[in-house]
């Protein structure tokens, strides 16, 4: 194995229902149906839209579906399966989820939601003696200082337009590159993320979904991996 890459899904729209709206009827009703406390359920725009109108940055929050897609994509790639890729989610509220090796996430959305709610409650998900997921309060730059990357490459429509082949060619030479893709439905990286990127690249003129960017970027880096 000659390549170790890190993928961070940054500013991810993944969090529990915040206290400001935990008594809102839409939130209480949906929690009751699932027999959970409102504050133990994930914020989800499809369920909590009216309540979320009160939230600051509400249009960038409450999209666990985006993170589900992005993680299924990343964890289904040859790089991840062959243990050449580590995957992290950094959330909009500064939690960091570490995925263990060879994690197979539920394909069903409701089971994914249940798993993440459990993770927010316990801080760790294990099966047998294997750790699947851990969650800690952590800022983006603290995660970077733990990883100690050679380079931190962000993907953003605001970045420099550059062919993906060139980006992979340059960065796949060194091990330990961190790739950062946004886990939010609109807008751009927070200042904290932007300021900590070595470079930021646009790989298409269109705004694309995070899972499409992840698929393409990982495929391009995979071409440089030998086993
Ligand atoms: C749904 S987009 C975020 C919001 C957005 N609509 C935008 O203009 O990029 C999710 C993530 O995909 C990546 N992305 C989307 N389009 C991209 C592009 N053309 N080039 C590079 N990265 C892109 C970025 O990392 C972005 O944060």
């Amino acid at each position: 194995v000659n390549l170790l890459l890190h993928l961070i899904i940054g500013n991810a729209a993944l969090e529990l229902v915040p206290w400001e709206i935990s008594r809102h009827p839409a939130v209480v009703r949906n929690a009751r149906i699932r027999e959970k406390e409102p504050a133990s359920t994930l914020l989800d725009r499809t369920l909590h839209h009216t309540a979320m109108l009160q939230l600051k940055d509400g249009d960038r929050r409450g999209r666990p579906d985006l993170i589900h897609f992005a993680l299924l994509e990343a964890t289904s790639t040859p790089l991840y399966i062959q243990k050449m890729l580590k995957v992290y989610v950094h959330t909009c509220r500064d939690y960091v989820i570490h995925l263990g090796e060879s994690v197979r996430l539920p394909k069903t959305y409701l089971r994914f939601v249940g798993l993440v709610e459990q993770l927010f409650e316990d801080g760790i998900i294990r099966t047998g003696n294997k750790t699947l997921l851990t969650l800690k309060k952590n800022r983006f730059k603290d995660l970077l200082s733990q990883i100690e990357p050679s380079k931190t490459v962000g993907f953003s429509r605001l970045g420099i337009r550059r062919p993906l082949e060139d980006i992979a060619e340059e960065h796949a030479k060194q091990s330990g590159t961190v790739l950062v893709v946004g886990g939010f439905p609109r807008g751009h990286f927070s200042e904290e993320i932007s300021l900590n990127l070595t470079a930021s690249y646009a790989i298409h003129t269109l705004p694309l979904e995070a899972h499409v960017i992840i698929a393409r970027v990982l495929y391009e880096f995979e071409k440089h991996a030998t086993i």
Side-chain angles (χ1 to χ4, degrees), residues 9 14-16 89-97 120 135-139:
I9 299 168
L14 186 73
E15 63 183 301
L16 294 176
V89 180
H90 158 266
T91 76
C92 55
R93 312 275 276 180
D94 284 330
Y95 284 91
V96 170
I97 299 171
F120 271 99
L135 174 129
K136 286 202 178 78
K137 191 84 182 154
N138 219 340
R139 299 179 67 96

Side-chain angles (χ1 to χ4, degrees), residues 22-41:
S22 64
R23 286 162 178 268
H24 189 283
V27 174
V28 173
R29 187 173 56 245
N30 281 292
R32 204 168 277 159
I33 292 169
R34 298 184 51 222
E35 299 181 354
K36 293 213 165 203
E37 289 299 318
S40 310
T41 60

Side-chain angles (χ1 to χ4, degrees), residues 61-110:
R61 294 164 64 179
R63 293 295 304 272
D65 57 317
L66 298 181
I67 313 310
H68 185 217
F69 267 60
L71 288 177
L72 285 178
E73 180 57 59
T75 57
S76 306
T77 58
L79 283 178
Y80 178 76
I81 293 166
Q82 292 168 331
K83 303 186 179 24
M84 289 186 270
L85 174 70
K86 290 195 185 292
V87 181
Y88 316 82
V89 180
H90 158 266
T91 76
C92 55
R93 312 275 276 180
D94 284 330
Y95 284 91
V96 170
I97 299 171
H98 288 241
L99 272 79
E101 285 184 348
S102 315
V103 173
R104 292 174 61 81
L105 292 166
K107 301 271 196 297
T108 310
Y109 178 65
L110 286 180

Side-chain angles (χ1 to χ4, degrees), residues 155-157 180-189 201-210 213:
F155 292 89
S156 163
R157 215 153 40 91
V180 192
V181 175
F184 41 85
R186 55 176 53 87
H188 301 287
F189 288 130
Y201 297 118
I203 60 168
H204 206 284
T205 44
L206 291 176
L208 296 168
E209 296 282 328
I213 300 292

Side-chain angles (χ1 to χ4, degrees), residues 17-57:
V17 163
W19 64 269
E20 301 99 292
I21 61 166
S22 64
R23 286 162 178 268
H24 189 283
V27 174
V28 173
R29 187 173 56 245
N30 281 292
R32 204 168 277 159
I33 292 169
R34 298 184 51 222
E35 299 181 354
K36 293 213 165 203
E37 289 299 318
S40 310
T41 60
L42 281 190
L43 185 67
D44 186 333
R45 167 161 312 281
T46 48
L47 304 173
H48 306 138
H49 177 71
T50 49
M52 286 180 67
L53 297 174
Q54 306 168 21
L55 289 181
K56 183 173 169 282
D57 287 335

